[in-house]
Amino acid sequence: MQELSPLLSASMARTMAERRPRTHWKTFHGCGHWIHDDDPAGFAEAIREFLARI
């Protein structure tokens, strides 16, 4: 979850995650909506973690 997104509020993201089974919540502190630009290393790590789970 991006903390500073102008497009998706934290409460809406939380609700979406709660409604989808097997969803993993991850917060990207200090990031806006485009996490891959704001924190490329953190984004890559999140993708690696996701791929390791499937």
Side-chain angles (χ1 to χ4, degrees), residues 21-33:
R22 299 184 342 220
T23 298
H24 296 268
W25 181 269
K26 182 165 184 76
T27 299
F28 290 83
H29 299 287
C31 290
H33 194 75

Side-chain angles (χ1 to χ4, degrees), residues 11-38:
S11 64
M12 178 58 75
R14 224 176 269 113
T15 298
M16 291 168 63
E18 289 169 358
R19 291 181 179 180
R20 185 174 174 100
R22 299 184 342 220
T23 298
H24 296 268
W25 181 269
K26 182 165 184 76
T27 299
F28 290 83
H29 299 287
C31 290
H33 194 75
W34 295 273
I35 298 165
H36 61 283
D37 284 341
D38 295 340

